[in-house]
Amino acid sequence: MNVDNLITDQRLHSILQTSHQACDQAHALVDLIDQNTSDTLSATQKAEISKQQSLLLATVAQLRGLNRHANLAARDTKAVTLEARQTVDKLHLQLQNLYYEQNHLQDEIAACESYDHKYRQLPLMPVDEFLAQYPDQATDDENALLFARIDHERVERETLENQRQELLKRKQKLIADNKRRKEDLANLDNDLEKFIDAAKPIQKLFEKEA
């Protein structure tokens, strides 16, 4: 494949064309010198050789200028490429961090979904019974419905706890009343025994008279 077809940069094309031109001029100058190998050259021959030399030097100077500009452009391109590469590396690192964060969040979500939370163990009212009792909750999504059932369970438990506390108070009162009555009965027994003991002399007196 021709080298000219591989180069797409216009500056490099100009360098390559100027290089070909300088090469052709150098060959022409060599051929001209080879054709005039005599010791004595005419003024016309010397003028032609001098002309070809001047053309070659001008072309070489132009080639040097183009090469210098190409080097500066390559340096600038390299700097731009380096900056772009650093930007790409930074974005790639950010992308890797996002992938890592995504995987971490997915693991956290999976852990939360598989976590055996205590609310799963609550004896909540079945959904169909709850909706039958509270039809206004039928349009709620799954989470809202779950929160409503948990709140219903909380209210029910608070109500039962209040009833238990009331029953406990009544029980304590009944225990206290029962204890007081037992004490009253014990005191009554003591009084009765004292009365019987006090009545024994009178009973003996009646027995003697009989």
Side-chain angles (χ1 to χ4, degrees), residues 190-204:
N190 291 332
D191 292 341
L192 184 58
E193 290 179 358
K194 290 178 181 179
F195 176 77
I196 292 173
D197 291 339
K200 283 181 179 181
I202 299 174
Q203 183 179 2
K204 289 180 180 181

Side-chain angles (χ1 to χ4, degrees), residues 198-210:
K200 283 181 179 181
I202 299 174
Q203 183 179 2
K204 289 180 180 181
L205 181 60
F206 279 116
E207 289 176 353
K208 288 179 180 182
E209 291 179 355

